[in-house]
Amino acid sequence: IPDHLLQFTKQLKSPYTLPNCKTSSVKQNFVYIKTHKTASDTLAAMFRRFAYTRNLSIVLPLSDRFNLGWPHDLRKEYHRPSKTGGFNVLLDHSKYTENYMREIMPEDTVYISSWRETFSHLKSAMAYFDILHWSGIDLEPADGIVTFLQNLPYYDHVAASKQVPN
């Protein structure tokens, strides 16, 4: 990177301020709600390593599943039972299901997720899930996104009638 560009970027000031995320103790009971296309696999891997090195109990999907029932409500039928009698960490794709999560997680559980700028997230998710292809929209991506958004009920029906990958 040329030096003048580095100097320029160092002078840029964000209009956003970071939240005060300091804590007096390490949180060992947490739910990380993974959100598609928001670096959630990377963050989940870091959280999984954190849990593993501290011998924490993780809510794990059943052996024939790769998620915790997403996009449906989390239920007992979607995860393996705890070997220790309780859980410390939940971090696979799951729908935030407040009552059930409060039932299986300790009282001091912290709930976190990752977010992404909305339009960037939409474009990435549409590309990842190949929405323009399976929906039959034969337009350039920018026009295809507009067409898709203007006809959501129709394309929701199209998705329900096909085996759309999730």
Side-chain angles (χ1 to χ4, degrees):
I1 300 175
D3 189 52
H4 69 281
L5 289 178
L6 284 175
Q7 295 306 318
F8 175 76
T9 56
K10 287 180 182 178
Q11 295 173 11
L12 294 176
K13 300 288 184 203
S14 172
Y16 306 103
T17 58
L18 293 175
N20 181 358
C21 295
K22 295 180 182 178
T23 181
S24 59
S25 64
V26 175
K27 304 296 182 189
Q28 296 198 67
N29 298 318
F30 60 91
V31 170
Y32 174 58
I33 302 292
K34 289 181 68 180
T35 308
H36 292 288
K37 308 310 294 167
T38 61
S40 61
D41 283 334
T42 301
L43 290 167
M46 293 168 32
F47 289 139
R48 192 170 279 111
R49 180 70 176 172
F50 173 89
Y52 175 75
T53 60
R54 287 159 179 81
N55 200 30
L56 301 177
S57 179
I58 302 173
V59 179
L60 294 172
L62 295 174
S63 59
D64 64 337
R65 300 189 66 89
F66 63 90
N67 66 40
L68 294 169
W70 182 90
H72 307 288
D73 286 349
L74 179 62
R75 297 191 320 253
K76 185 177 184 175
E77 296 80 33
Y78 294 141
H79 65 84
R80 299 173 194 186
S82 169
K83 291 182 178 180
T84 63
F87 295 106
N88 303 104
V89 178
L90 187 154
L91 48 70
D92 280 293
H93 283 290
S94 63
K95 179 180 174 185
Y96 174 67
T97 311
E98 183 177 12
N99 290 339
Y100 187 72
M101 287 181 176
R102 292 198 188 284
E103 182 181 319
I104 65 169
M105 299 300 294
E107 192 174 307
D108 65 342
T109 297
V110 176
Y111 293 79
I112 51 181
S113 189
S114 51
W115 296 81
R116 183 172 175 177
E117 187 276 323
T118 306
F119 191 65
S120 170
H121 186 223
L122 173 67
K123 291 189 298 184
S124 178
M126 288 188 79
Y128 180 79
F129 292 112
D130 203 16
I131 289 175
L132 295 183
H133 175 77
W134 65 253
S135 65
I137 296 175
D138 190 26
L139 298 169
E140 291 297 315
D143 294 332
I145 291 172
V146 171
T147 299
F148 182 80
L149 292 176
Q150 288 175 336
N151 299 286
L152 284 176
Y154 171 76
Y155 291 111
D156 195 33
H157 176 73
V158 171
S161 68
K162 293 185 175 194
Q163 283 293 90
V164 176
N166 60 1

